[in-house]
């Protein structure tokens, strides 16, 4: 059977090609097998989170349906907010527990509502109090979105347009900021919490919310229509690999193989587009690392939630306002090598650190893992080649490829499909080099058969019929995977 089929670049769409036996060396230097093309990316952005700093005078938010009521409420909130700022000692208030503050504000609001003759029912009154409270101590209009566990991303495009991602799909919300100044105030609250600021001379900033969510901010002049804020919410409950199987991201046989590979310290990279679930998969796989190993994680914004007891976490640092003090991923990878790690987990490999990462993988830190932005496994390898090029070392392309082929054994490819579902599109094995061509073979893949009118993707997971070479290594380490998992046509 097409034991290790060969190479054929897949340039065309979701028609499932027959496993080819003809081999043609790909011009990009990666011998190739049958991979489904990556889904077009439509995803959202990411960002880290902050805590609540001191409140300056400002207005409030609104979402409601009736525009007359909405304007009246908005107006009332702005006035009430000003009054509260004038009348109460905010810094003293902020030290109180949230329940106390709430009681305090509730009393003031109740009085105010009477005086102003606002017709609010109990629910509206309670919402009003919550909004005033969010405004004073939290992040204003987006607080409810941050609390909503079904939302994974919050994307603010200027003060009048806020989108969220739910179940993998973007949807508009009725959340509004009063004006640009209001939004900027919230933005500054976020970034000042991580000791940064944004203005015309520093219009871009990464930050993190108190709960660990990632935030990216862009303001004028780079953001043409007003501040752009992208928040990737921190998922409090990391998805376990079994859960990923339950939601249909992969089949149990694939999960069993991946878990075995992690246990056996087979070096794996996770590839995918923006928001395709790379970090989630990395987290899920890390659960299979032995408790006895020392792990070092390197990230821009610490998102990984490893369960092992012996984890040393490191985070990069952007340059300060004077442009000094930057600590890059490459610095951290090099440093990690002096910290006696057993495995290094790199949140996202995206530049010059690729070279040091591969070195580490090749020199006793097998089982290290990283994610990479790419639409298919072949592209992931090409991107690695480019990244190694960025390190500016005098290496020939053949030796770069040799390093890659020696270091990485498995590529897990993820995609977010048009219906918002995240799936493992492919599990591919790197089997070595032939000449200066990297040999790769696909073990499992998702075959997309149709897309319904509402965008729902239909398809199934299949084994390509290739028996992974790494099975020999697994067997030697006492891990058995039933060989029928790899039979072609075996229902997964
Ligand atoms: N299989 C899945 N099913 C449902 N939701 C998922 C799945 N995988 C990931 N998610 C959710 O999708 C969102 C994005 O996932 P994640 O952060 O892992 O993506 P990513 O590829 O690392 O994104 P980025 O490129 O921005 O770093 C998260 O909210 C996560 O909880
Ligand atoms: Mg990620």
């Amino acid at each position: 059977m097409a034991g290790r089929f060969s190479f054929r670049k897949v340039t065309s769409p979701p028609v499932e090609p027959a496993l080819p036996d003809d081999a043609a060396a790909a011009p990009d230097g990666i011998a190739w097998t049958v991979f489904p093309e990556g889904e077009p990316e439509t995803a959202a952005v990411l960002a880290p989170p902050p805590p609540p700093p001191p409140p300056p005078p400002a207005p409030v938010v609104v979402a409601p349906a009736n525009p007359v009521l909405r304007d009246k409420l908005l107006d009332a909130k702005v006035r009430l907010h000003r009054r509260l700022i004038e009348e109460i000692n905010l810094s003293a208030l902020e030290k109180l527990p949230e329940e106390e503050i709430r009681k305090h504000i509730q009393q003031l609001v109740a009085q105010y509502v009477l005086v102003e003759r606002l017709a609010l029912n109990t629910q509206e009154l309670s919402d009003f109090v919550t909004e005033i409270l969010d405004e004073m101590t939290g992040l204003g209009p987006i607080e409810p979105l941050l609390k909503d566990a079904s939302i994974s991303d919050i994307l603010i495009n200027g003060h009048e347009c806020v989108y969220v991602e739910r179940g993998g799909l973007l949807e508009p919300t009725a959340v509004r900021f009063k004006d640009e100044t209001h939004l900027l105030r919230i933005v500054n609250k976020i970034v000042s919490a991580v000791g940064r600021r944004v203005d015309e001379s520093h219009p871009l900033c990464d930050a993190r919310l108190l709960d660990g969510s990632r935030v990216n901010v862009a303001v004028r002049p780079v953001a043409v229509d007003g501040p752009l804020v992208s928040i990737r919410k921190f998922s409090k409950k990391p998805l376990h690999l079994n859960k990923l199987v339950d939601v249909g991201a992969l089949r149990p046989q694939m999960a069993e193989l991946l878990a075995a590979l992690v246990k056996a310290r087979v070096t794996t990279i996770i590839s995918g587009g923006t928001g395709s679930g790379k970090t989630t998969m990395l987290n899920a796989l890390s659960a299979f690392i032995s408790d006895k190993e020392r792990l070092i994680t390197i990230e821009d914004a610490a998102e990984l939630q490893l369960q092992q007891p012996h984890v040393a976490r490191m985070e990069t640092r952007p340059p300060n306002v004077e442009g000094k003090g930057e600590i890059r991923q490459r610095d951290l990878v090099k440093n990690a090598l002096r910290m006696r790690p057993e495995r290094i987990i790199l949140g996202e490999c995206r530049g010059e650190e690729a070279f040091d990462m591969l070195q580490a993988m090749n020199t006793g830190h097998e089982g290290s893992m990283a994610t990479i932005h790419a639409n298919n496994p072949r592209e992931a390898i090409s991107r690695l080649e480019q990244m190694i090029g960025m390190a500016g070392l005098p290496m020939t392309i053949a030796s770069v490829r040799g390093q890659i082929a020696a270091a990485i054994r498995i590529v897990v490819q993820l995609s977010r499909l048009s219906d918002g579902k995240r799936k493992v599109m492919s599990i591919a094995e790197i089997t070595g080099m032939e000449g200066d061509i990297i040999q790769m073979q696909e073990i499992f893949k998702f075959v997309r058969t149709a897309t319904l009118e509402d965008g729902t993707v239909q398809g199934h997971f299949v084994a390509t019929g290739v028996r992974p070479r790494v099975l020999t290594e697994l067997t030697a380490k006492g891990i058995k995977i039933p060989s029928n998992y790899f039979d072609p046509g075996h229902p997964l």
Side-chain angles (χ1 to χ4, degrees):
M1 177 39 264
R4 62 208 68 100
F5 32 129
S6 322
F7 325 113
R8 198 160 113 211
K9 279 181 94 170
V10 180
T11 45
S12 55
V15 188
E16 188 193 355
L19 294 181
D21 253 359
D22 57 316
D28 57 6
I30 300 160
W32 190 226
T33 321
V34 194
F35 294 118
E37 284 293 279
E39 273 281 297
E41 281 181 34
T42 39
V45 193
L46 346 160
V60 197
V61 190
V62 169
N66 179 339
V68 180
L69 177 66
R70 196 185 72 172
D71 287 353
K72 202 170 165 200
L73 265 183
L74 180 59
D75 193 45
K77 275 183 228 160
V78 173
R79 274 183 290 138
L80 176 55
H81 190 262
R82 294 227 172 95
R83 237 182 81 185
L84 287 170
I85 303 276
E86 282 160 18
E87 287 178 15
I88 57 182
N89 181 345
L90 276 175
S91 48
L93 196 65
E94 278 189 347
K95 290 189 189 108
L96 295 176
E98 194 181 321
E99 262 319 295
E100 294 268 313
I101 308 180
R102 191 177 180 91
K103 240 172 40 200
H104 220 79
I105 304 281
Q106 197 141 20
Q107 282 168 1
L108 287 167
V109 171
Q111 281 172 14
Y112 178 85
V113 166
L114 270 183
V115 175
E116 293 277 321
R117 295 167 182 269
L118 287 174
L120 297 180
N121 63 29
T122 324
Q123 185 56 47
E124 285 164 345
L125 183 64
S126 153
D127 291 348
F128 192 26
V129 172
T130 307
E131 280 174 27
I132 294 283
L133 210 62
D134 287 345
E135 197 55 39
M136 295 174 70
T137 60
L139 298 180
I142 57 169
E143 275 295 323
L145 307 180
L146 290 167
K147 286 180 191 137
D148 183 340
S150 67
I151 293 177
S152 56
D153 283 37
I154 303 169
L155 307 161
I156 303 172
N157 312 321
H159 68 280
E160 286 190 313
C161 174
V162 180
Y163 277 80
V164 293
E165 189 197 284
R166 255 200 194 97
L169 297 176
L170 291 177
E171 51 186 67
T173 68
V175 168
R176 300 282 176 273
F177 293 80
K178 180 157 189 292
D179 49 28
E180 200 168 315
T181 319
H182 182 204
L183 172 53
L184 268 176
R185 192 173 68 78
I186 301 289
V187 162
N188 277 311
K189 226 173 174 182
I190 295 176
V191 299
S192 64
V194 289
R196 310 214 44 211
R197 67 188 164 91
V198 280
D199 53 32
E200 282 202 3
S201 52
H202 301 95
L204 298 173
C205 179
D206 280 317
R208 190 128 69 90
L209 301 181
L210 261 195
D211 69 356
S213 304
R214 247 179 9 178
V215 183
N216 176 269
V217 172
V219 299
R220 291 179 195 273
V222 293
V224 179
D225 300 315
L228 299 170
V229 184
S230 316
I231 305 178
R232 159 68 43 76
K233 281 174 61 186
F234 185 73
S235 42
K236 297 199 174 59
K237 275 195 229 139
L239 289 168
H240 191 269
L241 198 55
N242 286 340
K243 180 74 186 158
L244 292 177
V245 171
D246 290 347
V247 298
L250 72 173
R251 298 295 302 147
Q253 293 89 335
M254 299 158 77
E256 195 176 326
L257 176 67
L258 290 179
L261 294 168
V262 174
K263 276 187 209 150
R265 304 194 58 171
V266 173
T267 304
T268 302
I269 59 169
I270 296 163
S271 157
T274 298
S276 57
K278 301 181 294 297
T279 305
T280 306
M281 177 58 78
L282 187 55
N283 247 331
L285 293 183
S286 71
F288 299 93
I289 299 175
S290 151
D291 273 3
K292 301 202 175 81
E293 293 182 35
R294 171 168 164 82
L295 311 176
I296 297 192
T297 68
I298 296 172
E299 294 172 274
D300 281 330
E303 285 181 289
L304 290 169
Q305 305 173 62
L306 304 194
Q307 306 305 314
Q308 286 73 7
H310 198 157
V311 180
R313 305 200 305 156
M314 294 203 285
E315 225 182 40
T316 56
R317 228 188 117 85
N320 62 16
V321 179
E322 291 90 48
K324 302 209 176 92
E326 182 178 16
I327 308 280
R328 298 144 82 95
Q329 293 213 112
R330 184 169 193 192
D331 304 323
L332 294 180
V333 173
K334 282 185 183 161
N335 198 75
L337 291 173
R338 289 177 217 130
M339 298 167 69
R340 200 207 166 273
E342 263 150 330
R343 305 196 204 206
I344 298 174
I345 316 284
L346 183 61
E348 186 190 324
C349 184
R350 61 180 146 58
E352 43 173 25
E353 69 280 358
F355 175 75
D356 304 85
M357 184 71 203
L358 285 186
Q359 292 278 82
M361 288 167 166
N362 270 329
T363 54
H365 305 97
E366 291 78 15
S368 290
M369 295 194 269
T371 75
I372 192 165
H373 262 256
N375 288 325
N376 55 55
R378 192 190 81 241
E379 195 184 303
I381 301 300
S382 308
R383 291 222 51 212
L384 266 177
E385 276 177 27
Q386 288 162 9
M387 290 177 200
I388 293 172
M390 287 157 87
L393 297 156
M395 286 172 78
T396 62
I397 190 75
S399 65
V400 168
R401 288 181 184 157
Q403 284 265 0
I404 296 175
I408 297 168
R409 297 292 297 280
I410 298 288
V411 182
V412 179
Q413 180 64 42
L414 298 166
S415 249
R416 194 166 45 104
L417 305 179
S418 50
D419 56 1
K421 297 261 171 17
R422 278 115 177 158
K423 291 210 188 289
V424 174
M425 300 306 283
S426 175
I427 298 179
E429 179 182 33
I430 295 179
T431 53
M433 298 272 289
E434 255 173 44
D436 58 0
I437 307 291
I438 296 176
Q439 306 294 310
M440 237 186 176
Q441 57 184 14
E442 193 168 40
I443 301 163
F444 293 116
K445 66 176 173 176
F446 180 74
V447 180
R448 187 172 176 162
T449 49
T451 307
L452 305 185
E453 243 168 54
D454 64 356
T456 307
V457 173
Q458 292 187 325
H460 51 269
F461 292 97
V462 291
T464 58
V466 170
R467 260 183 75 82
R469 291 202 194 167
V470 73
L471 282 189
T472 326
E473 191 177 325
L474 294 186
T475 313
K477 290 186 174 166
I479 303 173
K480 289 206 174 60
I481 303 279
S483 63
N484 66 353
Y485 284 11
F486 307 104
D487 292 348
H490 183 83
L492 289 177

